Amino acid sequence: SKFTGRSRVTIYDPQIIDADHSGESLAGLLAHAIERQCISVVYQPIIQLGTEEIIGYETLMRLKGNNGRLVKPDIFIPVAEQNGAIVELGAWVFEQACADVARYKLDGVIAVNISAVQLKAPGFALRVAEMLARHGLAPAQFALELSERGDILGQSQAAQTVEQLRKLGVQIWLDDFGTGYAGIDCLRRFELDIVKIDRSFLPDGRHPRDVRMLTGMIQLLRSLGRTVLVEGVETVEQKRLLEELGVDLAQGYLIGRPQPVSEFIGDQKSEVA
Ligand code: C2E
Ligand code: CA
Ligand code: CA
Ligand code: CA
């Protein structure tokens, strides 16, 4: 019958239940993502407010389902964390970032998202050191963005690994500050180079309560000597507010969307041999 196999009609959200339209689970897709070249990395610029200078880029993972459509990280990252696939996928992103930096002589800091599950995996710091050395890159050019999903950062193994990474010379940034994934508690436990305030704290308008909340967070961080980055800047008005509040760094669609390295190497082409 013509209603068998792949042509059968099903009603589902392909991003959640069936990432590839052929019955393979998201977990299955993740398990083969590297060999099937379904994952890639995009870069989003980070600027210094005031000077507008691009000081670096955040790497973000992209996963393509077999139907060719992107699966949202908010959907696949938690699954990859749950089944452990994030360890290899995260290492692949770091390796790719190293290769791009070395190949295109990218300037500025490259901030890589690191899941707490990766931190807990044995030998993580060694693996980072090995990749940097193999590509001939300075550890200080890389930042690891840590966020706390499932309270793993609180475990001593993770704290030890963060200490090893710090000794290696990579920067340690705190992601999603202000949310349940990265609370005030993390400020006490980790020495952090930069703290990223979650975009949920960036107001749309200038509602006094929202502005006071953001102002207070910024003051707290500055009084602790932290450099403050606010992410999710979408409007000129938001950027202006951050400038007024003395925020150091900003990131968001207004400033630049995440894009493949091929989209911005044009700016630096003169440096490519
Ligand atoms: P995140 O680390 O907080 O990353 C910022 C997210 O905000 C990204 O979503 C980015 O595309 C998006 N974004 C940037 N500017 C704006 C803006 O102006 N407005 C709005 N509305 N969004 C903006 P994305 O790429 O979908 O990633 C979602 C989350 O998935 C990330 O949140 C991070 O927690 C996780 N993730 C992404 N890539 C990786 C990775 O390589 N490793 C790990 N462990 N997690 C990753
Ligand atoms: Ca991040
Ligand atoms: Ca974030
Ligand atoms: Ca976030």
Side-chain angles (χ1 to χ4, degrees), residues 58 74 113 147 149 175-177 179 181 196-200 231:
E58 176 181 9
D74 290 337
N113 290 288
S147 185
R149 232 188 280 265
D175 202 358
D176 304 324
F177 180 67
T179 70
Y181 292 144
K196 299 181 81 162
I197 295 180
D198 192 74
R199 73 180 153 84
S200 57
E231 54 184 2

Side-chain angles (χ1 to χ4, degrees), residues 86-115:
I86 193 68
V87 173
E88 288 313 312
L89 295 174
W92 185 90
V93 168
F94 199 89
E95 176 80 47
Q96 188 61 46
C98 288
D100 286 342
V101 170
R103 174 165 181 208
Y104 300 111
K105 314 239 182 301
L106 300 181
D107 289 329
V109 57
I110 304 296
V112 183
N113 290 288
I114 302 296
S115 162

